[in-house]
Each structure stands twice: as structure tokens, then as C-alpha cells.
């Protein structure tokens, strides 16, 4: 029987089968840096897309809520416009006017803006909806009456103002 009282010393492992040169490391660092920069740019673009989609979703929700509120707002405006002269100093009537202004201010704070064209203003099909064309001393295609105001969100017209337009004499 053979004994192993004096085993052979273990062989030292070779550090690397092949050694890389400094130039190869620099090239790999350059490639990894470019890859990292691409990932950072893709992530920034992703964040921008997400923010744009979120803003679009919020505006869509605002438009949906506004569409439901507009008939009530229009009726509130009509009631305020046709307030009898004897009630102009009435405390209840003034309170209702304040409530109406609060609604407008709340919409403004949400980025929803009311706009009403002025009579005599040039008709603009992008912002105005012509309800009727009537004979008038005013030049053709000028607004002679505003029926309902328009609303916009972030300068996008959600509902055009309803107007009556002059067709001249």
C-alpha cells in the first residue's frame, strides 16, 4: 500500500488564459459608456412620453366632466344675464353671482377657460359656431350676438362659442 505522507504541492492557478490589453479595456469601457448613454436617453424619452400621456388623460377627463357641466353652467349664465333690475341689489342674487364666479375661478384653476367673443368681432370657425346668419348693418361675417360662451383647455377649444353672424344688409 502506498501512503501519501508527502503530497505534491497544488499547482497555482493561472491568472487568465489570455490577458487583455489596456486598449481592449478602454474599448470595452467606451462601448459600455455608449450603451449607458443610450439607456439614459431612452429612459428620459420614456419619462417624457409618460408625462405627455398623463397630461392627455387628465385633459380628456376634464373635457368629459366639462361636457357634463356645460348645460348647467349655460343655464346659470342665462339666469344671471336675465336678472330683473329690481333684484340687482338683492343679497340672495348677489350670493348667486358670487357662486357663479367661484365656479368660473375653479375651472380657471383647473386650466379650463371660458371665452366669449365680442359683438363686432370677426367670425372664426375654429372658435365660433354660427347658430344663425342674420341681416345686419354690420359687415358680413362679424358677430352680432353671443348665445353661449366657449370653453378651452390649454388653448384647445373644447366647445366653440355659439354666435349669430351678420350676413350684411
Amino acid at each position: 500500500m502506498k501512503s501519501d505522507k508527502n503530497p505534491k504541492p497544488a499547482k497555482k492557478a493561472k491568472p487568465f488564459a489570455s490577458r487583455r490589453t489596456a486598449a481592449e479595456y478602454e474599448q470595452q469601457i467606451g462601448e459600455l459608456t455608449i450603451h449607458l448613454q443610450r439607456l439614459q436617453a431612452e429612459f428620459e424619452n420614456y419619462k417624457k412620453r409618460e408625462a405627455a400621456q398623463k397630461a392627455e388623460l387628465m385633459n380628456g377627463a376634464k373635457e368629459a366632466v366639462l361636457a357634463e357641466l356645460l348645460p348647467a353652467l349655460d343655464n346659470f349664465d342665462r339666469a344671471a344675464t336675465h336678472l330683473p333690475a329690481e333684484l340687482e341689489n338683492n343679497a340672495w342674487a348677489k350670493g348667486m353671482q358670487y357662486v357663479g364666479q367661484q365656479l368660473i375661478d375653479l375651472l380657471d384653476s383647473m386650466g379650463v377657460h371660458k371665452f366669449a367673443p365680442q359683438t363686432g368681432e370677426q367670425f372664426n370657425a375654429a372658435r365660433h359656431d354660427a347658430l344663425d346668419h342674420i341681416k345686419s348693418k354690420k359687415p358680413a361675417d362679424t358677430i352680432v350676438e353671443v348665445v353661449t360662451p366657449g370653453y378651452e383647455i390649454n388653448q384647445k377649444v373644447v366647445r366653440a362659442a355659439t354666435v349669430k353672424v351678420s350676413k350684411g344688409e
Side-chain angles (χ1 to χ4, degrees), residues 82-131:
H82 295 97
L83 183 68
E86 64 269 13
L87 293 178
E88 286 183 7
N89 293 324
N90 181 289
W92 181 84
K94 284 186 175 188
M96 292 306 292
Q97 288 174 337
Y98 291 133
V99 170
Q101 188 58 48
Q102 275 184 314
L103 288 172
I104 297 300
D105 292 345
L106 179 65
L107 290 173
D108 275 343
S109 72
M110 295 171 54
V112 178
H113 304 289
K114 176 181 173 182
F115 67 92
Q118 301 296 313
T119 57
E121 186 177 318
Q122 185 71 28
F123 177 76
N124 177 349
R127 298 180 57 81
H128 310 136
D129 187 17
L131 183 65

Side-chain angles (χ1 to χ4, degrees), residues 1-168:
M1 192 169 216
K2 191 175 181 183
S3 93
D4 284 333
K5 288 186 179 178
N6 294 324
K8 292 182 182 178
K11 290 185 178 179
K12 289 185 179 177
K14 292 182 182 177
F16 289 108
S18 65
R19 291 193 159 242
R20 290 185 169 184
T21 65
E24 289 172 330
Y25 282 120
E26 286 178 13
Q27 180 183 357
Q28 187 177 11
I29 289 170
E31 290 170 1
L32 290 174
T33 302
I34 290 171
H35 182 69
L36 178 63
Q37 289 170 340
R38 283 189 189 136
L39 287 176
Q40 284 176 328
E42 286 176 14
F43 184 65
E44 289 300 319
N45 289 337
Y46 166 77
K47 287 184 354 186
K48 289 176 187 174
R49 279 193 311 271
E50 283 295 313
Q53 287 176 348
K54 188 176 182 179
E56 187 176 316
L57 184 65
M58 288 298 294
N59 285 339
K62 287 177 188 176
E63 285 180 35
V65 170
L66 185 62
E68 297 294 322
L69 286 175
L70 284 179
L73 289 171
D74 290 340
N75 288 334
F76 201 87
D77 273 349
R78 284 187 199 104
T81 302
H82 295 97
L83 183 68
E86 64 269 13
L87 293 178
E88 286 183 7
N89 293 324
N90 181 289
W92 181 84
K94 284 186 175 188
M96 292 306 292
Q97 288 174 337
Y98 291 133
V99 170
Q101 188 58 48
Q102 275 184 314
L103 288 172
I104 297 300
D105 292 345
L106 179 65
L107 290 173
D108 275 343
S109 72
M110 295 171 54
V112 178
H113 304 289
K114 176 181 173 182
F115 67 92
Q118 301 296 313
T119 57
E121 186 177 318
Q122 185 71 28
F123 177 76
N124 177 349
R127 298 180 57 81
H128 310 136
D129 187 17
L131 183 65
D132 197 7
H133 287 82
I134 58 176
K135 284 186 176 182
S136 168
K137 292 181 180 178
K138 295 191 176 193
D141 292 330
T142 57
I143 296 170
V144 292
E145 183 181 342
V146 178
V147 179
T148 58
Y151 289 88
E152 59 189 2
I153 297 173
N154 296 331
Q155 299 176 343
K156 175 187 168 197
V157 175
V158 176
R159 186 184 78 180
T162 308
V163 297
K164 292 184 180 178
V165 180
S166 173
K167 61 180 179 181

